[in-house]
């Protein structure tokens, strides 16, 4: 739930005067997203989303994110396209914040995805990776292995307040992942936060991907590992291998995984679970009094991590070798 | 900021299956309104607002509110029109709550209204009163004089926690208003909550009125007194007589006030200020820990009440007699 920043009538008018969007017909705060303030903006010309970037997004990273969306949209990926103002700028300032207008994407986020959704997300993720191949921007993943010890340290020894034993378990995981973290996997632009709220569907058709504000350069298979964590577990904590199989098959229908990516998948899935456990843990321990946002439960990802630790190989996530004849059969 | 109730994919699908609105293209929680959960709903046919009624709205009152909106919309007032489902029902259930789909109104709420906005609101309020004349429903005002002592009692002697002296000042006001509250004024349907967030404008044109969930049967001039409180004070607490004059003139351009309404205006304005001070006070003292909504400041209305107590007559709000020639001059 968002909208942290209130926009005054004058500020809005002044900002929109720099654009060529026609008369404003509607402007409503959207109760979604936890990083930024988002407004639904209807003008005589079209529907848009106006985003104010709150302090969690580094302003220096915005050109990377906006350039990436433009790049991906040009290559046919359904994602928000930043709208340039009369002077050709996509990035402006509103109410003291960096601000951007992007095109509106139709579709609904599914809260309880089925295997069909997982297959579609897998395929879209691979398309995103392919479309990002020739994107010239680079942005190191600020929330990968190198940052996790620091994140854990900023929890300041209070992890056991959340669950007894969490501190020791997390320290052991950090040590082990530092030793076995895979290197040299195929890299490129990854979304890095492709949770269910960031993918829209109309009926069963995937209609768009949003929220590129964690996008970075990292191992492509790590992005798939994040999606397995985000989409393929049931509310009771169990991994749904049917959904995993659908997601990986969807991914491989566009971009088959390399053998070293398949081998690394269990480790990458542990890392992804640890990354979300740690950021949630820090948020959980740092809720300001009177906060308008409820933090997400870090233990959900601690439990997922427990599952990944017992996984022996990618087949347990539903991975199967790409059948050589699959493409010709499908198109027959 | 609202959206208290999350709607599951299955519940939404099941609910919308009862309507004939075409494929769902968008469904987003709106971060506005503090009483109910509101969603922006775009379908292949049109745009709508889906509202889930939270516990503060009495379910037994909903037929009055929905019938009133239908009545006013039929008479040309720009307000949300409840959409009936395939069985002819406007009121349904979703996620365990009473739920309604209404038509979407374009326009923006102004945060800092000018005199022009105030004039338009005054005229629209009078149009609402005229359009409501033949509405057969009746609903006593649950937040008028008879309820104030009870509201104050539920603050449980804690008013001085909010501001020293507030308790004694409020008790004196309650006693005095009980003695002088005007009776026998022209009555009808009033909106009773026409604050700036409930009126939309496109450019300078008033495009719609929303949120009829305090509407009731009461003195028409009391509704104008509420609007004077809500629209004509400046952020520094001073009353802006230019705005008051514009609002009253706007009202009288549609429905001239009776002499007894003019005489009662200062008392009605005190009552309106007291009503909002009291409900805000109770909310302020009853914020649950971890609440997602910040309560509004009761002292804003305590200060307005202080202004009204010193007002000697309606001219201080900007009231002027309707000039007999005004209509013919305007239409010349």
């Amino acid at each position: 739930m968002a909208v942290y920043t209130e926009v005054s009538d004058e500020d809005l008018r002044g900002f929109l005067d720099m654009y060529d969007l026609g008369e404003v017909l509607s402007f409503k705060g959207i109760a979604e997203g936890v990083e930024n303030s988002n407004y639904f903006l209807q003008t005589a010309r079209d529907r848009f989303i106006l985003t104010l970037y709150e302090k969690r997004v580094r302003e220096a990273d915005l050109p990377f994110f906006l350039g990436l969306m433009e790049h991906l949209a040009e290559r046919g990926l359904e994602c928000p396209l930043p709208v340039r103002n009369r002077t050709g700028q996509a990035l402006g300032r509103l109410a003291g914040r960096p601000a951007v207008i992007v095109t509106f994407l139709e579709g609904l986020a599914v809260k309880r995805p089925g295997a069909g959704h997982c297959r579609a997300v897998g395929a879209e993720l691979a398309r995103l990776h392919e479309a990002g191949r020739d994107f010239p921007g680079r942005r190191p993943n600020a929330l990968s292995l190198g940052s996790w010890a620091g994140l854990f340290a900023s929890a300041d020894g209070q992890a056991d307040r959340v669950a007894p034993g969490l501190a020791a378990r997390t320290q052991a995981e950090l040590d082990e992942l530092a030793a076995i973290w895979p290197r040299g996997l195929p890299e490129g632009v990854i979304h890095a936060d492709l949770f269910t709220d960031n993918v829209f569907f109309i009926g069963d058709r995937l209609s768009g991907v949003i929220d590129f504000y964690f996008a970075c350069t990292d191992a492509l298979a790590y992005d798939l590992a994040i999606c397995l964590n985000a989409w393929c577990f049931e509310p009771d904590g169990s991994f749904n291998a049917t959904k995993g199989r659908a997601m990986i098959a969807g991914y491989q229908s566009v971009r088959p995984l390399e053998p070293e990516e398949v081998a690394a998948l269990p480790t990458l899935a542990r890392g992804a679970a640890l990354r979300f456990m740690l950021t949630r843990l820090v948020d959980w321990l740092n809720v300001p009094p009177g906060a308008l946002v409820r933090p997400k439960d870090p233990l959900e990802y601690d439990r997922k991590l427990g599952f990944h630790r017992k996984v022996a190989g990618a087949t347990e996530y539903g991975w199967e070798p790409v059948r050589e004849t699959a493409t010709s059969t499908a198109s027959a």
Side-chain angles (χ1 to χ4, degrees), chain A:
Chain A
M1 186 178 299
V3 182
Y4 296 83
T5 301
E6 288 262 344
V7 179
S8 75
D9 306 339
E10 299 73 35
D11 284 353
L12 179 64
R13 206 174 310 119
F15 184 73
L16 293 177
D17 278 350
M18 297 188 297
Y19 291 80
D20 190 26
L21 303 178
E23 189 165 32
V24 181
L25 302 179
S26 197
F27 184 69
K28 290 187 189 301
I30 296 176
E32 283 164 23
V34 289
E35 300 292 330
N36 302 313
S37 301
N38 290 302
Y39 290 87
F40 171 75
L41 171 66
Q42 166 98 47
T43 76
R45 223 186 77 190
D46 208 343
R47 288 167 291 161
F48 304 93
I49 297 289
L50 188 156
T51 299
L52 300 186
Y53 298 99
E54 304 295 341
K55 59 179 190 295
R56 248 174 114 142
V57 174
R58 278 183 55 218
E59 202 163 341
D61 287 333
L62 288 171
F64 175 89
F65 302 139
L66 300 177
L68 176 61
M69 286 189 265
E70 214 166 57
H71 179 94
L72 295 174
E74 275 168 14
R75 273 147 194 80
L77 209 87
E78 295 289 347
C79 71
L81 175 65
V83 176
R84 291 169 179 270
N85 66 18
R86 295 182 203 273
T87 65
Q89 300 298 309
L91 181 59
R93 281 197 89 78
L94 175 56
R97 303 276 192 291
V100 162
I101 294 174
V102 300
T103 54
F104 181 87
L105 287 191
E106 291 184 341
L108 284 76
V110 293
K111 292 190 190 70
R112 299 273 316 263
H117 299 111
C118 293
R119 176 180 299 272
V121 167
E124 193 70 4
L125 186 72
R127 260 178 237 118
L128 191 159
H129 291 169
E130 293 291 350
R133 271 194 194 284
D134 58 342
F135 180 62
R138 280 192 64 83
R139 179 179 174 261
N141 187 351
L143 290 170
S144 187
L145 186 72
S147 73
W148 297 339
L151 270 174
F152 188 51
S154 74
D156 208 18
Q158 296 186 79
D160 283 354
R161 266 181 51 205
V162 178
L166 181 61
R169 198 155 64 237
T170 301
Q171 189 57 59
E173 189 67 23
L174 280 168
D175 295 342
E176 194 176 334
L177 285 179
I180 65 169
W181 193 244
R183 312 273 165 185
L185 297 177
E187 284 199 350
V189 170
I190 70 169
H191 184 285
D193 195 39
L194 202 57
F195 279 62
T196 56
D197 22 354
N198 291 334
V199 183
F200 292 165
F201 291 86
I202 297 176
D204 289 330
R205 180 177 65 82
L206 192 154
S207 61
V209 169
I210 64 165
D211 202 347
F212 287 78
Y213 304 112
F214 288 96
C216 55
T217 315
D218 203 344
L220 302 178
Y222 180 60
D223 222 6
L224 180 58
I226 289 171
C227 288
L228 289 168
N229 273 285
W231 290 77
C232 302
F233 283 86
E234 298 301 307
D236 68 2
S238 66
F239 183 79
N240 184 321
T242 304
K243 293 180 181 175
R245 186 171 301 116
M247 175 170 283
I248 297 172
Y251 189 90
Q252 295 206 113
S253 72
V254 175
R255 177 184 173 265
L257 293 167
E258 304 289 335
E260 64 269 28
E261 293 178 293
V262 175
L265 205 54
T267 308
L268 295 170
R270 282 168 66 178
L274 182 64
R275 171 256 184 267
F276 288 101
M277 196 286 286
L278 285 170
T279 47
R280 288 183 173 196
L281 177 67
V282 172
D283 287 349
W284 191 272
L285 293 170
N286 290 286
V287 182
L292 294 171
V293 174
R294 277 188 219 284
K296 292 177 180 158
D297 182 9
L299 296 178
E300 179 190 342
Y301 276 82
D302 181 54
R303 288 187 292 269
K304 290 179 179 177
L305 190 45
F307 170 82
H308 298 309
R309 262 197 292 265
K310 295 190 187 124
V311 165
T315 50
E316 291 183 45
Y317 295 118
W319 174 82
E320 291 169 345
V322 180
R323 277 167 293 173
E324 292 303 326
T325 54
T327 312
S328 51
T329 309
S331 61

